[in-house]
Amino acid sequence: MGATASTASRSAEVRRRRLVAAVFLLPALVLLGALVVHPIGYSVYRSLFDRSGDTFVGGGNYREILHDDTIRTALRNTALWVVLAPTTATALGLIFAVLTERVRWGTAFKLLVFMPMAISMLAAGIIFRLVYDHDPDRGVANAVWVGVHDTFAESSAFPKARPGRDSPLVPAAGADAGGFTTRDPVRAGVPVLLPLVGVAPEDLPGGTRTAGSAVPEPGKVTGTVWQDFTRGGGGRTNTVDPTEQGFAGMRIEAVKDGKVVDSASARADGTFTLSAKADGALLRLPASNFRAAYEGVEWLGPTLVTPAVIGAYVWMWAGFAMVLIGAGLAAVPRELLEAARVDGANEWQVFRRVTVPLLAPVLAVVLVTLVINVMKIFDLVFVIAPGSVQDDANVLALQLYRTSFGTDADPGLGSAIAVLLLALVVPVMLYNIRRLRKEGAR
């Protein structure tokens, strides 16, 4: 009798505990159902109907995903994101964590690398929209790129120069298209005038002086190449006027029978001198004089926009990877590393065969977290990619937004994209849960 009473008492206690647990869990379950389960169920249901929601189309919206070029581009770009962004951020985080462990200012460096994590995606997108601006005067990336380029291949100072009205110069043909030649052969002892227009005074190269009139020299060809334009008006066409500027550094070539027989560069006042070889030749201003200034790389063009946006993402999330990997690295037993060194392993072998295997669980956490994160990437792509190339930079989350909202919204197709995105994320999440369970069972 006593045993029966004891069993009944324990059963009542178990029921009471279950009831208390249910009471405490109920709000969370209600919220979970309202905010997660119901939206997922409704999205699956809505994806089976057309734009209006009145006509059942079954898998029609899912077939549309496979046949729509814009959505297929979004799928390809999402796959590129999943492959490049997490691996690059994790690799950089690992390198930073290992290297900063050995320097005195490592903590300060970690702080600087982690700081972008404090910036919202919107703010980071605005920052990198400016960084990638095509104008080197505004875009940092192109300012650096143009500076490096011009160090080795300086651009011309006269990209917009051209002959004016009634000029003795005509456009060159053939291999030197883009340059200009004289209409008639030149003669020794007779100064040659090569007038050009189209260069703003402030764009003239440094050291330029007022144009001078060439002095005839026996047996030589002399002349002047200058800006045939007087500021404020006045002056005479094809005449060197007192306030007009010479084209310092302009290259002049003498051409006979298609071959360059002599060449010279204009002085600060635009005057030049050629030897007797130039007598009877045509003078040519080669196309290299008018090469457009190098403006850098079109980072936000159709070809590079996705790698450029991935670069912005890596800038933000490499610090996150570094901090987590650094925490894992701090827990690595130092005696194992020292034992490997004592056995004759160099630093690369210690890193590759000891450090990385010991950090494998942490690296898996970082990599899986970033994979889930990039599958939902939206903000950076939406802000950084200009409207003209958003189709080229498109990803699934952005396509979901563009399809579901706006004047041409299609909630059915948008719901199908949302279900597809969920289906892609779920396997990664299940893998993460299984890995966490295995870690907890150890």
Side-chain angles (χ1 to χ4, degrees):
M1 186 72 178
T4 304
S6 176
T7 302
S9 176
R10 283 197 299 269
S11 298
E13 179 65 18
V14 169
R15 286 195 298 271
R16 187 183 68 82
R17 289 183 178 180
R18 288 178 177 173
L19 180 61
V20 171
V23 169
F24 279 99
L25 287 175
L26 185 60
L29 292 175
V30 170
L31 287 175
L32 184 65
L35 301 179
V36 178
V37 178
H38 175 264
I40 291 175
Y42 181 75
S43 294
V44 174
Y45 169 80
R46 187 64 180 83
S47 69
L48 303 176
F49 289 81
D50 66 351
R51 183 190 301 264
S52 65
D54 298 327
T55 305
F56 181 79
V57 295
N61 287 321
Y62 295 97
R63 287 192 292 272
E64 177 72 14
I65 290 175
L66 298 177
H67 292 91
D68 188 285
D69 290 338
T70 303
I71 300 177
R72 285 192 295 179
T73 299
L75 279 168
R76 285 196 301 269
N77 285 342
T78 301
L80 188 64
W81 269 89
V82 169
V83 171
L84 290 182
T87 53
T88 305
T90 304
L92 283 177
L94 176 61
I95 292 170
F96 290 157
V98 172
L99 294 181
T100 53
E101 196 182 42
R102 297 173 174 243
V103 295
R104 296 177 61 184
W105 41 267
T107 303
F109 180 81
K110 288 180 180 179
L111 179 63
L112 288 175
V113 175
F114 187 74
M115 195 176 294
M117 282 296 299
I119 303 174
S120 70
M121 286 282 196
L122 176 62
I126 294 172
I127 290 170
F128 273 87
R129 182 68 179 266
L130 295 174
V131 167
Y132 290 134
D133 195 290
H134 196 209
D135 185 354
D137 292 332
R138 292 190 298 174
V140 175
N142 264 341
V144 174
W145 196 262
V146 169
V148 172
H149 173 275
D150 287 352
T151 300
F152 300 98
E154 187 175 356
S155 298
S156 168
F158 319 106
K160 297 181 180 179
R162 63 187 186 279
R165 178 166 48 90
D166 300 326
S167 175
L169 293 167
V170 295
D176 201 56
F180 304 99
T181 64
T182 54
R183 296 177 184 272
D184 303 308
V186 297
R187 296 297 174 187
V190 180
V192 182
L193 297 178
L194 303 178
L196 295 168
V197 296
V199 181
E202 60 271 16
D203 292 338
L204 290 171
T208 296
R209 294 185 355 214
T210 302
S213 297
V215 178
E217 295 185 29
K220 295 183 178 181
V221 173
T222 60
T224 305
V225 55
W226 83 104
Q227 170 89 324
D228 190 19
F229 175 78
T230 302
R231 299 189 73 173
R236 292 176 295 169
T237 303
N238 300 330
T239 301
V240 180
D241 293 306
T243 61
E244 295 173 348
Q245 301 293 304
F247 278 164
M250 178 75 76
R251 182 172 177 80
I252 302 98
E253 297 176 343
V255 181
K256 285 184 179 179
D257 300 324
K259 296 181 179 180
V260 177
V261 296
D262 198 13
S263 63
S265 294
R267 305 179 185 93
D269 62 355
T271 60
F272 61 89
T273 302
L274 296 167
S275 67
K277 296 178 182 178
D279 186 29
L282 291 174
L283 295 192
R284 180 173 68 189
L285 303 178
S288 58
N289 288 316
F290 312 103
R291 183 176 54 245
Y294 182 67
E295 296 182 351
V297 177
E298 194 175 0
W299 299 104
L300 299 182
T303 304
L304 293 177
V305 62
T306 294
V309 181
I310 290 176
Y313 178 89
V314 170
W315 175 77
M316 289 191 68
W317 286 86
F320 166 82
M322 178 194 65
V323 169
L324 290 188
I325 295 171
L329 193 61
V332 171
R334 299 300 163 185
E335 56 270 17
L336 294 179
L337 303 180
E338 293 302 325
R341 294 188 182 100
V342 169
D343 288 343
N346 57 35
E347 291 302 318
W348 169 246
Q349 290 172 328
V350 171
F351 172 75
R352 185 166 60 92
R353 299 191 176 185
V354 180
T355 304
V356 172
L358 290 174
L359 288 175
V362 178
L363 295 176
V365 170
V366 174
L367 197 59
V368 171
T369 302
L370 294 181
V371 166
I372 295 173
N373 186 270
V374 299
M375 282 189 178
K376 304 178 295 180
I377 194 70
F378 165 79
D379 322 53
L380 283 179
V381 181
F382 183 73
V383 176
I384 295 178
S388 58
V389 296
Q390 271 199 359
D391 283 346
D392 300 285
N394 204 8
V395 290
L396 280 177
L398 178 59
Q399 184 61 33
L400 169 61
Y401 168 79
R402 296 169 66 185
T403 304
S404 303
F405 302 98
T407 56
D408 193 33
D410 187 342
L413 182 58
S415 298
I417 296 173
V419 173
L420 173 63
L421 193 55
L422 175 65
L424 294 175
V425 172
V426 164
V428 184
M429 294 179 64
L430 292 177
Y431 166 80
N432 206 25
I433 292 171
R434 289 181 58 189
R435 186 190 54 76
L436 290 174
R437 285 180 176 174
K438 287 182 180 179
E439 289 291 324
R442 291 179 181 178

